[in-house]
């Protein structure tokens, strides 16, 4: 199977090249030439498979240049009981009559980015080996919080890789910072940048585009790469859990094979919901994809009107991982929705970069209407939802998942579609955003004012009767290994020192 650029169908590569490159040379994203499908026998066979067996089958459909043994090795290294605390990897929790919470946060960092970032390093190292490149991969990450830690956990001690993460020294929560600066592993480096997230991201981009730096690194046998969410190697592992959830529901007698479901996804960069779309193109029966946003509701407007307009105020919300105005992975959906029309996709992206805005064709509008529904929730609605679900069902959700839940409630009220079984992607442990969750439960926006983050974790644990995840509780006593900050102009030097260039 070949992959081509969303902006130019003549740019073609096999999957391991696409994973190494990340971005296509013309700035587009890699998409498969043809989306594979599962036969009825294969779908039925998923029901009795384990998560890892399901992953091997699904990944094998897309990564056809990897051998079955290579895929199996990658999957078995990534999805272990040791790392996810459960062999189910992504358990499904039934809430009420027709709602199913797909918990994607049992990995080492308590958020769904682990689902992809635990396997990406292995896919990447295998790709480099297969293509005969004798290079060590250097991953550079600028992070506003969750991605940095998930990438560190994924790449730590993976032979043939090194990772250097930069975070804004005053721009992440205390827990997020502790998660990063206590990271173990002989190939990791973590640095605070005196500045905001944009400064960190700009610094990383400069290193990537510095030709002299690239030459120097290449002379020492290093190859720079990124772990961001537009890499096909991050998207394809996310297709697996939608199939897995469906199979689990069939196994539990909650669904009959072939019965359609709705899928609700709290969305930022559009990667997670796009993976659900790919699953449906493979044959997963989906009635509607419901795209949930917070007050940064550029996607809500886009799906409802066909106009994408990023020229609007940016809001800092209590679901910060969705505070995004440019959803990069949407480009892949546009490409498929336009009937794989690369010129049309490229034109939308050009308009976006020149004017911050584009309007899609009538046929794409119809496509969106047919398959998607969209809504958004304010912070107040999100908190009300956390509280309501806990009081009604005793289930506690994080702020991102609660955005999805709130939008699903609105969807049901608007459409009357209350019976279709619905999968809600739950993207973080409530402990990861414990301050906002406590405020919601106490119905008091000052509930954690002045409290230290560890005492908030304990308060939440007492309030809802759940154990604090060990990876968060242990932070209190872990040794700080990276007590360093740098100026934004010194980031390149930091990487040079790390690599001894
Ligand atoms: C990254 C993230 C999201 C958004 O996922 P996308 O794939 O970018 O749409 C939602 N919730 C949490 C907790 C996240 O970390």
């Amino acid at each position: 199977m070949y992959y081509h650029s969303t902006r130019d169908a003549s740019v073609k590569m096999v999957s391991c090249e696409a994973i190494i490159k990340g971005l296509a040379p013309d700035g587009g994203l890699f998409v498969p030439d043809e989306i594979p499908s599962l036969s009825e026998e294969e779908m039925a066979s998923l029901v009795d498979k384990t998560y890892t067996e399901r992953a091997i089958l699904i990944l094998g459909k897309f990564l056809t240049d990897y051998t079955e043994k290579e895929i199996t090795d990658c999957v078995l290294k990534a999805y272990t009981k040791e790392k996810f605390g459960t062999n189910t990897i992504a358990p499904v929790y039934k809430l009420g009559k027709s709602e199913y919470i797909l918990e994607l946060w049992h990995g080492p960092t308590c958020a769904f980015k682990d689902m992809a970032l635990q396997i990406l390093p292995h896919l990447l190292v295998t790709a480099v080996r297969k293509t005969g490149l004798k290079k060590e991969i250097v991953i550079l990450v600028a992070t506003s919080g969750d991605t940095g830690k998930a990438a560190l956990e994924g790449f730590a001690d993976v032979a043939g890789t090194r990772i250097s993460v930069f975070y804004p020294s005053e721009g992440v929560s205390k827990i997020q910072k502790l998660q990063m600066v206590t990271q173990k592993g002989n190939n990791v480096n973590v640095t605070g940048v005196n500045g905001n997230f944009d400064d960190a991201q700009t610094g990383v981009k400069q290193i990537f585009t510095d030709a002299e730096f690239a030459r120097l690194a290449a002379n020492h046998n290093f190859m720079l790469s990124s772990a961001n969410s537009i890499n096909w190697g991050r998207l394809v592992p996310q297709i697996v859990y939608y199939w897995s959830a469906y199979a689990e529901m069939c196994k539990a007698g909650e669904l009959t094979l072939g019965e359609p479901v709705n899928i609700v996804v709290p969305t930022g960069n559009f990667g997670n919901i796009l993976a659900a779309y790919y699953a449906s193109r493979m044959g997963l029966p989906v009635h509607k994809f419901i795209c949930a946003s917070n007050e940064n509701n550029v996607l809500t407007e886009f799906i409802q009107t066909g106009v994408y307009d990023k020229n609007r105020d940016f809001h800092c919300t209590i679901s910060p991982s969705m505070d995004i105005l440019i959803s990069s992975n949407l480009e892949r959906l546009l490409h498929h929705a336009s009937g794989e029309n690369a010129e049309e996709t490229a034109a939308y992206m050009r308009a976006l970069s020149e004017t911050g805005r584009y309007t899609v064709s009538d046929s794409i509008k119809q496509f969106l209407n047919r398959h998607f529904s969209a809504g958004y929730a304010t912070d107040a609605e999100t908190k009300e939802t956390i509280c309501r679900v806990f009081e009604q069902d005793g289930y506690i959700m994080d702020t991102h998942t609660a955005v999805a839940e709130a939008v699903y409630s609105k969807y049901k009220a608007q459409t009357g579609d209350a019976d279709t079984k619905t999968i809600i992607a739950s993207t973080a442990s409530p402990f990861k955003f414990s301050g906002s969750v406590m405020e919601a439960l106490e119905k008091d926006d000052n509930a954690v004012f002045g409290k230290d983050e560890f005492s908030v974790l304990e308060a939440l644990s007492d309030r809802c009767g759940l154990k604090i995840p060990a990876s968060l509780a242990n932070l209190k006593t872990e040794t700080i290994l990276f007590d360093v900050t740098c100026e934004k102009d010194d980031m390149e030097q930091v990487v040079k020192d790390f690599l001894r260039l």
Side-chain angles (χ1 to χ4, degrees):
M1 177 187 296
Y2 283 89
Y3 289 76
H4 63 269
S5 165
T6 45
R7 301 184 195 177
D8 182 352
S10 70
V11 176
K12 279 198 193 293
M13 291 180 197
V14 291
S15 74
C16 69
E17 292 170 316
I19 289 172
I20 290 172
K21 289 235 170 355
L23 203 62
D26 59 355
L29 312 190
F30 288 110
V31 287
D33 280 359
E34 262 170 61
I35 298 168
S37 50
L38 291 191
S39 68
E40 278 182 32
E41 293 77 53
E42 284 171 324
M43 285 189 212
S45 80
L46 288 177
V47 175
D48 291 316
K49 283 187 183 342
T50 61
Y51 190 88
T52 48
E53 288 166 344
R54 291 169 188 154
I56 292 164
L57 177 68
I58 308 286
L59 294 182
K61 294 276 172 192
F62 285 97
L63 310 180
T64 52
D65 50 320
Y66 287 65
T67 66
E68 188 173 344
K69 171 153 192 327
E70 285 167 340
I71 290 179
T72 304
D73 286 348
C74 291
V75 166
L76 294 182
K77 280 180 190 154
Y79 302 116
T80 64
K81 184 169 180 195
E82 192 201 357
K83 286 181 169 157
F84 285 81
T86 150
N87 280 325
T88 318
I89 306 296
V92 177
Y93 182 93
K94 184 174 183 190
L95 191 69
K97 177 167 68 69
S98 57
E99 220 180 304
Y100 300 81
I101 309 290
L102 170 56
E103 296 181 345
L104 301 172
W105 39 262
H106 291 273
T109 75
C110 303
F112 100 103
K113 305 254 182 327
D114 290 329
M115 298 302 299
L117 280 165
Q118 280 297 312
I119 193 167
L120 175 71
H122 304 295
L123 294 174
L124 196 51
V125 167
T126 308
V128 168
R129 199 182 55 229
K130 289 172 75 63
T131 48
L133 284 168
K134 302 230 167 10
K135 298 235 184 262
E136 194 169 353
I137 302 162
V138 179
I139 300 290
L140 298 183
V141 182
T143 184
S144 56
D146 285 346
T147 305
K149 176 60 179 177
L152 284 165
E153 276 292 334
F155 282 92
D157 288 330
V158 173
T161 72
R162 302 211 199 174
I163 175 163
S164 187
V165 170
F166 293 94
Y167 66 89
S169 57
E170 302 309 325
V172 298
S173 76
K174 184 177 164 195
I175 296 259
Q176 284 176 323
K177 180 169 169 177
L178 277 174
Q179 279 189 307
M180 291 188 272
V181 298
T182 57
Q183 179 67 46
K184 297 191 188 75
N186 60 24
N187 61 339
V188 306
N189 194 35
V190 179
T191 314
V193 178
N194 294 323
N196 58 24
F197 172 62
D198 277 340
D199 295 324
Q201 190 161 44
T202 305
V204 163
K205 278 193 186 145
Q206 272 166 7
I207 304 176
F208 269 116
T209 50
D210 182 339
E212 200 185 324
F213 183 88
R215 242 189 329 272
L216 185 63
N219 286 342
H220 288 76
N221 238 6
F222 291 118
M223 189 182 87
L224 291 185
S225 187
S226 95
N228 63 29
S229 82
I230 43 114
N231 192 309
W232 181 252
R234 265 187 74 174
L235 197 59
V236 70
Q238 299 186 266
I239 301 171
V240 175
Y241 48 72
Y242 290 107
W243 279 107
S244 181
Y246 193 90
E248 286 293 312
M249 287 161 68
C250 289
K251 190 170 168 179
E254 300 288 335
L255 271 183
T256 47
L257 211 58
E259 186 180 338
V261 291
N262 294 320
I263 298 182
V264 192
V265 185
T267 298
N269 221 359
F270 212 78
N272 202 359
I273 193 167
L274 184 72
Y277 173 74
Y278 278 118
S280 82
R281 290 282 304 264
M282 296 176 77
L284 188 80
V286 176
H287 174 59
K288 283 278 178 198
F289 303 95
I290 301 167
C291 176
S293 303
N294 61 29
E295 276 169 274
N296 296 295
N297 55 4
V298 58
L299 284 168
T300 311
E301 186 178 286
F302 171 68
I303 288 170
Q304 289 174 354
T305 67
V307 178
Y308 194 98
D309 188 354
K310 78 162 179 91
N311 305 309
R312 59 180 69 217
D313 289 339
F314 178 83
H315 299 277
C316 290
T317 72
I318 58 170
S319 45
S321 305
M322 296 154 65
D323 291 347
I324 284 179
L325 291 180
I326 298 191
S327 297
S328 320
N329 269 301
L330 188 59
E331 181 171 348
R332 286 187 164 111
L333 186 76
L334 292 175
H335 185 76
H336 295 302
S338 67
E340 275 75 38
N341 186 329
E343 291 75 34
E344 186 177 338
T345 313
Y348 295 140
M349 292 302 116
R350 209 160 38 238
L352 180 65
S353 81
E354 283 165 12
T355 66
R357 177 191 156 98
Y358 58 86
T359 304
V360 293
S361 68
D362 285 343
S363 91
I364 295 186
K365 280 183 202 165
Q366 281 159 17
F367 167 96
L368 292 170
N369 241 326
R370 201 159 51 239
H371 300 291
F372 285 80
S373 173
Y376 75 97
T378 63
D379 280 356
E381 289 170 324
T382 304
K383 285 182 170 172
E384 276 159 31
T385 303
I386 292 172
C387 194
R388 167 179 62 79
V389 172
F390 186 63
E391 285 174 358
Q392 275 175 11
D393 301 288
Y395 185 80
I396 186 95
M397 39 180 67
D398 96 290
T399 48
H400 303 75
T401 311
V403 167
E405 172 72 26
V407 169
Y408 176 54
S409 294
K410 293 184 188 183
Y411 165 86
K412 281 191 292 190
Q414 279 158 11
T415 61
D417 174 21
D419 294 329
T420 307
K421 310 270 168 53
T422 297
I423 296 172
I424 303 214
S426 174
T427 51
S429 156
F431 287 99
K432 190 116 199 208
F433 298 92
S434 53
S436 302
V437 172
M438 271 310 279
E439 289 168 2
L441 294 178
E442 301 296 337
K443 302 190 177 82
D444 173 3
D445 285 349
N446 291 312
V448 300
F449 184 77
K451 284 209 181 84
D452 153 77
E453 294 194 45
F454 289 103
S455 56
V456 178
L457 285 177
E458 270 153 36
L460 179 58
S461 169
D462 290 344
R463 186 77 166 73
C464 65
L466 291 176
K467 262 185 72 179
I468 305 171
S471 61
L472 297 181
N474 293 345
L475 288 175
K476 205 169 172 174
T477 52
E478 297 269 5
T479 314
I480 291 178
L481 300 169
F482 296 98
D483 193 9
V484 270
T485 57
C486 75
E487 297 307 318
K488 57 186 191 219
D489 293 333
D490 297 334
M491 290 169 61
E492 188 166 306
Q493 192 57 46
V494 168
V495 179
K496 281 183 179 164
D497 291 346
F498 174 50
L499 302 177
R500 298 177 199 282
L501 294 181

